[in-house]
Amino acid sequence: MALRRAGQGTRARTGPPRRPGTLAALLVAALCLGPLVPLLLRSGEGGLGAADAAALRFTLLQAALSAGLSVALAIPVARALARRRFPGRGALITLLGAPFLLPVLVAVMGLLALFGRNGLLNAALAALGLPPVSIYGLHGVVLAHLFLNLPLATRLLLQGWLDVPAERFRLAAALNAPVWALIERPMLARTVPGAFATIFALCLTSFSVALILGGGPAATTLELAIYQAIRFEADFPTAARLALLQYALCGAAALLALRLAPGAMGQGGPGRAVQRWDAKGRAADALWIALAALFLLLPLGLAGWRGLAGLPDLPPEAGPAALRSLGVALAASALTLLLALALALHGGRLAQLAGALPLAASSLVLGTGLLLILRPLTTPATLALPVTALLDALAALPFALRSLAPAIAEIESRHGRLADSLNLTGPSRLRRLTLPLARPALGFAGGLAAALSVGNLGVIALFAGEDQTTLPLLMARLMGAYRMDAAAGVGLLIAAMALLLFWILDRMGRADAAP
């Protein structure tokens, strides 16, 4: 009996290898916290100047406005999607995930085609004899964030509606009770704060949007101020102080978002429509759905149309830049998968904290710290591509881990005891059990990391010289030189590469995957 208990205790302690997860957690912590050291050493004792304080205020203002508008407008859209069935509903809900994969610069290009100086809106205003409108400044930054984050807010709130048991709506209808006051408003009180905090945290790291649509003393974010201090003024103490401030803001916002995130009740996925007995408001629901679809589809369509027209104007540098972007994306995807798999296998509190840590540090802030470390040792441009791949991998890690960790936990829950009884441990367990069953999650996570990396403009803008230009950096330079046709062509190339990489890697994970 004692031997049997001892054997059971030993089997209970078997399971997936945890040491790689511990090493991965320490590596992530070192990469996210290590760059703080040179930032602290170079920050000096100076305080924030007037321009720095203005950048802080603008950063907080645009993030609050962007998150508030995204959530407020997502409420009627998510409510309409939750309670209506119509042809194309599933495709529209799938489309809501597209802006997350879409490179930010491509989204900005679509908005410029619609609201820019030579866009459709100003062309219509000119035909009516009205003065043009400008997309640049605070309202342009907020508009771009609204385009990028309204779909995310809609998905978050839609899941809140779908988590409500259908019996509650049936009971409310039977009693002729107000559904909004008794069911929907309390649900929103639980889900809205988490959605707002999540989008607020994302909008704090808006380098690409602010670079193209912001600028100027009145519309400069902290990240843009860091970039300007390094690239144009070589003022590293100021850049270090701003980077520390940005790190603190992102860390606080990430912790708040994690704390406010509601736990799902698991009643159904986003493709399900809630069965409702209150049929009022059909016209209003149809209007909200149509407006949301138009707001998403029109800029995407214009970006694609301008991209096709701009393909003949692609500069010669586009080919080498595409190869660099592809190499960086594949390297970032591979590194993301290694770290996420190790952390998911660990499954402990340490792994969870390490997986959330990159949310507190934007790539530009970490790049600033690494730049200060590398400058005395080598020319930063020589390491531009490896550093970019490394930081892109860190940026995608929280999303990859969110996809992979539940899959690993499910595998262990279903097959862990049998594997323990067969003494299937270590690399053999990983090769024969975990990897075959986790292939769909691995393919999705790898595709997501590659797609995000292809369109990311951040640290490469600090490090790259002329021979390290990637597609996002090339597009930004073309837009800065007002070569909009060529920039649109590069943007279409970026979008095609991002979607193709995601499709290929996700498909590789699902093809012949073990059931």
Side-chain angles (χ1 to χ4, degrees):
M1 180 67 70
L3 290 175
R4 183 181 303 171
R5 289 178 179 173
Q8 290 174 348
T10 302
R11 286 195 296 271
R13 287 191 299 269
T14 309
R18 296 171 63 90
R19 182 174 295 178
T22 302
L23 296 176
L26 294 176
L27 175 61
V28 171
L31 291 172
C32 291
L33 299 177
L36 287 178
V37 176
L39 294 177
L40 289 169
L41 294 177
R42 294 294 299 269
S43 62
E45 299 180 357
L48 293 178
D52 302 332
L56 173 60
R57 288 193 299 269
F58 181 81
T59 300
L60 295 173
L61 176 62
Q62 61 84 20
L65 289 175
S66 301
L69 286 174
S70 297
V71 173
L73 294 176
I75 291 175
V77 177
R79 187 171 189 253
L81 288 171
R83 63 181 186 170
R84 304 298 176 193
R85 293 182 175 92
F86 54 89
R89 179 180 179 275
L92 179 58
I93 292 176
T94 301
L95 180 65
L96 291 176
F100 186 75
L101 290 177
L102 189 70
V104 174
L105 287 177
V106 179
V108 171
M109 178 61 70
L111 292 174
L112 287 173
L114 182 58
F115 301 103
R117 190 174 292 113
N118 298 316
L120 288 183
L121 178 60
N122 279 326
L125 292 176
L128 296 174
L130 298 175
V133 297
S134 175
I135 193 177
Y136 299 98
L138 174 62
H139 56 284
V141 172
V142 172
L143 179 65
H145 284 157
L146 182 62
F147 175 79
L148 292 168
N149 295 312
L150 175 61
L152 174 60
T154 302
R155 289 293 294 263
L156 293 174
L157 298 184
L158 176 60
Q159 190 60 52
W161 258 284
L162 301 182
D163 283 338
V164 177
E167 291 76 12
R168 296 187 185 180
F169 293 107
R170 183 183 297 114
L171 180 61
L175 299 176
N176 198 26
V179 172
W180 171 259
L182 294 182
I183 299 177
E184 294 177 323
R185 191 164 60 190
M187 179 274 296
L188 289 174
R190 296 191 303 269
T191 56
V192 163
F196 177 89
T198 298
I199 296 173
F200 180 85
L202 292 174
C203 292
L204 289 177
T205 57
S206 57
F207 174 69
S208 299
V209 172
L211 180 65
I212 303 300
L213 300 179
T220 298
T221 61
L222 285 176
E223 290 207 337
L224 186 55
I226 294 169
Y227 171 74
Q228 292 170 347
I230 293 176
R231 295 291 291 184
F232 302 121
E233 302 171 12
D235 187 355
F236 289 97
T238 297
R241 287 194 296 270
L242 293 174
L244 288 172
L245 180 58
Q246 175 76 346
Y247 199 107
L249 281 179
C250 291
L255 289 175
L256 183 63
L258 292 174
R259 184 176 181 83
L260 294 177
M265 297 170 62
Q267 297 295 321
R272 183 176 69 91
V274 177
Q275 188 175 1
R276 300 287 291 266
W277 288 264
D278 52 326
K280 298 179 181 179
R282 289 184 181 273
D285 287 348
L287 178 62
W288 279 110
I289 292 172
L291 290 176
L294 186 65
F295 182 61
L296 289 177
L297 291 174
L298 192 54
L300 290 177
L302 290 174
W305 179 262
R306 291 194 63 176
L308 288 173
L311 287 179
D313 296 319
L314 284 178
E317 311 94 280
L323 292 177
R324 295 188 198 101
S325 292
L326 179 62
V328 168
L330 293 178
S333 178
L335 185 55
T336 298
L337 287 180
L338 288 175
L339 293 174
L341 180 61
L343 294 176
L345 290 172
H346 185 283
R349 184 68 175 172
L350 177 64
Q352 295 176 5
L353 291 175
L357 195 56
L359 295 174
S362 72
S363 297
L364 197 73
V365 171
L366 295 182
T368 303
L370 291 175
L371 182 64
L372 294 176
I373 294 174
L374 296 174
R375 281 182 73 245
L377 305 176
T378 184
T379 304
T382 60
L383 298 176
L385 299 180
V387 169
T388 299
L390 176 64
L391 296 186
D392 283 353
L394 282 180
L397 179 60
F399 307 104
L401 186 60
R402 188 180 180 90
S403 168
L404 196 56
I408 298 295
E410 179 70 14
I411 291 170
E412 287 300 316
S413 175
R414 290 189 176 186
H415 309 287
R417 288 189 177 182
L418 177 60
D420 291 342
S421 66
L422 296 174
N423 199 27
L424 193 61
T425 61
S428 179
R429 184 190 189 109
L430 186 65
R431 184 178 65 256
R432 297 185 178 183
L433 173 67
T434 306
L435 291 181
L437 294 179
R439 273 185 59 184
L442 286 167
F444 176 83
L448 182 64
L452 293 176
S453 176
V454 163
N456 188 28
L457 173 66
V459 67
I460 191 67
L462 291 178
F463 280 75
E466 293 299 326
D467 296 332
Q468 293 84 29
T469 303
T470 59
L471 284 177
L473 184 56
L474 176 61
M475 183 177 177
R477 289 174 176 173
L478 290 172
M479 295 176 74
Y482 298 101
R483 297 175 59 186
M484 303 305 292
D485 291 339
V490 174
L492 181 62
L493 186 58
I494 296 174
M497 285 185 62
L499 295 176
L500 186 61
L501 280 173
F502 176 78
W503 182 81
I504 289 175
L505 293 176
D506 184 47
R507 185 82 173 178
M508 287 174 61
R510 298 183 186 279
D512 301 323

